[in-house]
Amino acid sequence: MTDEVDASRSTPLVDEAVKKAAVAWVGVGDGPAVALWCVPLEGSLFVVSGPGEQTAPGLADAATARVTLRGDHGGRIVTWPARVIRLAPGSPEWETSAPLVAAKRLNASGPTADLVARWAADGCALTRLVPDGTPDAGDALPDTSLAAEPRGAAVVRATRKPFRLHRVRRR
């Protein structure tokens, strides 16, 4: 690939966290970080977004992003700046990476080649997140949880009373 990972721009902690990543929280600009399914490959994380895939607001057009990864215990262990590279369908990078990413796609219908062809035809973005700078880890991570109020969603589930086979008597 033409944009190889620069060893001086990554750390052993980031390298190890990337190898084990299945989900990453990616923030673009001032927007909130969103959880994205990702595939570790060649020291980078690959993310697919677009029609029929996950939503990654602003990622396809961004030059940089902030990536947060968790450890084995489920908590955040590192946040690192990333260079965002969008792979163009038909490019040598696309032809090499897209089938490998598609093979890891859970619940995909059809063969890998058909999935890659759909990504290209539908205009899905295959982006590569390359470590690019000093990560926040250990003491550099905030002490607070950084939990935010849940964002509104168009989907709402009505709460119903529980079903009972018999009448419950109150004493």
Side-chain angles (χ1 to χ4, degrees), residues 22-126:
V23 175
W25 283 259
V26 180
V28 176
D30 293 334
V34 293
L36 299 173
W37 167 80
C38 61
V39 174
L41 187 62
E42 297 178 2
S44 303
L45 293 178
F46 286 81
V47 175
V48 178
S49 60
E53 297 296 329
Q54 61 194 345
T55 303
L59 183 62
D61 300 321
T64 61
R66 302 259 322 145
V67 179
T68 301
L69 299 175
R70 64 183 178 162
D72 295 335
H73 61 0
R76 174 184 51 211
I77 60 167
V78 66
T79 298
W80 46 274
R83 186 168 27 108
V84 179
I85 301 167
R86 183 171 179 176
L87 305 181
S91 69
E93 293 87 2
W94 174 280
E95 298 300 328
T96 303
S97 303
L100 297 173
V101 173
K104 298 288 184 177
R105 171 72 163 80
L106 297 177
N107 301 325
S109 60
T112 301
D114 291 349
L115 183 59
V116 172
R118 183 180 63 81
W119 288 346
D122 291 350
C124 290
L126 176 59

Side-chain angles (χ1 to χ4, degrees), residues 99-171:
L100 297 173
V101 173
K104 298 288 184 177
R105 171 72 163 80
L106 297 177
N107 301 325
S109 60
T112 301
D114 291 349
L115 183 59
V116 172
R118 183 180 63 81
W119 288 346
D122 291 350
C124 290
L126 176 59
T127 53
R128 182 178 186 195
L129 303 172
V130 181
D132 190 35
T134 306
D136 298 336
D139 293 338
L141 290 174
D143 292 334
T144 60
S145 72
L146 299 180
E149 290 293 321
R151 294 186 289 272
V155 179
V156 178
R157 178 177 280 178
T159 305
R160 298 186 299 184
K161 292 182 179 181
F163 175 75
R164 299 196 186 262
L165 288 174
H166 56 84
R167 188 173 184 185
V168 177
R169 297 182 192 178
R170 295 183 186 201
R171 291 181 187 225

